[in-house]
Amino acid sequence: MKLFIYSLLALAGGIAMGIQAVVNGGLGRKVGTIEGAFLSFLIGTAALFFLVLFAGKGSLLAFSEVPKFQLTGGLLGAFFVVVMVLVVPKVGVASALMAVIVGQLLMGSLIDHFGLFGGQRFPLDMQKSIALVVMLGAIYVFNMK
């Protein structure tokens, strides 16, 4: 049952990314690409601040004990938001998200194959490789005019 609930949460996260893409794209058109990304993160930071304040159970001071690469998540998130603010108005939400999903699957496959970042290894076989190539081709077909 927990697996089903977590899957639903992941689905909700994907839905939120779809909405976020169009919302941030519109924001970026009005205020500028980098400014839109900044405002998006500022509002998100404020929301997280209150969540930590009222519902947090961890320790922010423990950040000094984590491997330094784990602190780059915010930079990666900022890069993603800037890219989406820039790309969505040019290609649309569906095309942008399709490329994002394929990019996530490509990187996820490499992480799994090599067991990067301390993860368990799941080898990339021929079937998975063909599926990734087909998905890359699908981006091209999806965007043909």
Side-chain angles (χ1 to χ4, degrees):
M1 187 64 169
K2 275 188 179 182
L3 182 60
F4 180 71
I5 291 171
Y6 288 136
S7 295
L8 286 178
L9 281 172
L11 179 68
I15 291 168
M17 280 182 69
I19 296 168
Q20 178 194 33
V22 71
V23 167
N24 282 345
L27 178 63
R29 277 194 304 270
K30 295 235 192 293
V31 301
T33 300
I34 296 170
E35 294 80 2
F38 172 76
L39 287 171
S40 178
F41 264 82
L42 182 66
I43 293 165
T45 299
L48 288 172
F49 172 77
F50 288 109
L51 274 174
V52 166
L53 194 62
F54 296 111
K57 299 201 183 341
S59 171
L60 289 176
L61 298 177
F63 83 92
S64 63
E65 300 167 16
V66 303
K68 299 309 172 217
F69 77 88
Q70 290 179 346
L71 298 175
T72 63
L75 292 174
L76 295 168
F79 173 75
F80 172 76
V81 170
V82 169
V83 167
M84 293 306 283
V85 169
L86 180 67
V87 169
V88 166
K90 308 275 191 265
V91 302
V93 176
S95 292
L97 288 178
M98 184 174 193
V100 165
I101 291 165
V102 173
Q104 289 173 326
L105 291 170
L106 283 168
M107 191 68 236
S109 295
L110 290 174
I111 291 169
D112 282 350
H113 181 74
F114 294 108
L116 301 176
F117 309 110
Q120 186 177 347
R121 292 191 68 214
F122 297 92
L124 182 62
D125 58 18
M126 185 58 73
Q127 183 176 346
K128 291 177 184 176
S129 298
I130 291 169
L132 290 169
V133 169
V134 167
M135 285 189 267
L136 284 169
I139 293 173
Y140 175 76
V141 171
F142 195 84
N143 289 299
M144 285 178 25
K145 293 197 182 195

